[in-house]
């Protein structure tokens, strides 16, 4: 009977310590770069004039003005939150928008999935819209 010598498969090699150090440094630098990009986002995009356009017992419409100060079109995620007079969150949503370069736009967002319905005569007290940074890991 014939015998065949086979190479072991898959063959595993340990990484050299210098290569391991390079990989760790690259991971740390990419994490710092990503964190820096998220901080720059608040400087490049301005959200102002947040107001309540309309509300009912099952919905709240929030109006806001957003300005893109960069030379390129931005697609970003925004997080909108609404609170009542006791500082209890009524509604929140995460949504995506695209803003053209050097543009100032007035927009609105309808929040129709409330944590609780508004009582008769109650109005939303405070709203906030902020850029939601992209997260890694």
């Amino acid at each position: 009977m014939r015998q065949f010598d086979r190479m072991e498969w898959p063959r595993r090699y340990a990484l050299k310590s210098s290569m391991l150090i390079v990989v760790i440094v690259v991971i740390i630098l990419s994490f710092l770069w990503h964190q820096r990009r998220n901080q720059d986002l608040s400087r490049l995009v301005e959200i102002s004039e947040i107001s309540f356009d309309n509300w009912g017992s099952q919905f709240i419409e929030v109006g806001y003005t957003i300005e893109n100060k960069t030379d390129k079109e931005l697609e970003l995620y925004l997080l909108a939150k609404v609170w009542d007079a006791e500082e209890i969150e009524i509604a929140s949503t995460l949504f995506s928008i695209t803003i053209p370069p050097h543009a100032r736009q007035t927009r609105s967002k309808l929040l129709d999935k409330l944590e609780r319905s508004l009582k008769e005569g109650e109005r939303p007290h405070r709203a906030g819209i902020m850029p939601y940074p992209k997260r890694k890991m």
Side-chain angles (χ1 to χ4, degrees), residues 23 32 41 80 99-100 107 110 116:
V23 168
L32 293 174
L41 186 63
I99 311 165
R107 296 181 173 215
L110 182 67
R116 66 170 179 85

Side-chain angles (χ1 to χ4, degrees), residues 60-136:
I60 299 171
E61 187 176 0
V62 178
Y64 61 97
T65 302
I66 188 162
E67 181 179 2
N68 180 1
K69 298 178 182 179
T70 64
D71 294 332
K72 59 184 178 181
E73 182 177 77
L74 288 180
E75 182 175 341
L76 57 109
Y77 290 99
L78 296 178
L79 178 64
K81 291 185 176 186
V82 177
W83 295 273
D84 63 1
E86 288 85 34
E87 295 298 318
I88 298 172
E89 187 177 304
I90 298 173
S92 67
T93 187
L94 181 65
F95 59 100
S96 172
I97 63 168
T98 304
I99 311 165
H102 296 291
R104 183 177 176 94
Q105 298 177 340
T106 302
R107 296 181 173 215
S108 66
K109 178 64 182 167
L110 182 67
L111 301 154
D112 58 351
K113 293 184 180 175
L114 305 179
E115 298 292 325
R116 66 170 179 85
S117 60
L118 292 174
K119 299 170 188 157
E120 188 68 33
E122 182 184 20
R123 65 182 301 263
H125 182 69
R126 184 170 66 95
I129 298 178
M130 60 212 79
Y132 191 77
K134 296 177 182 171
R135 299 180 196 262
K136 297 246 175 164

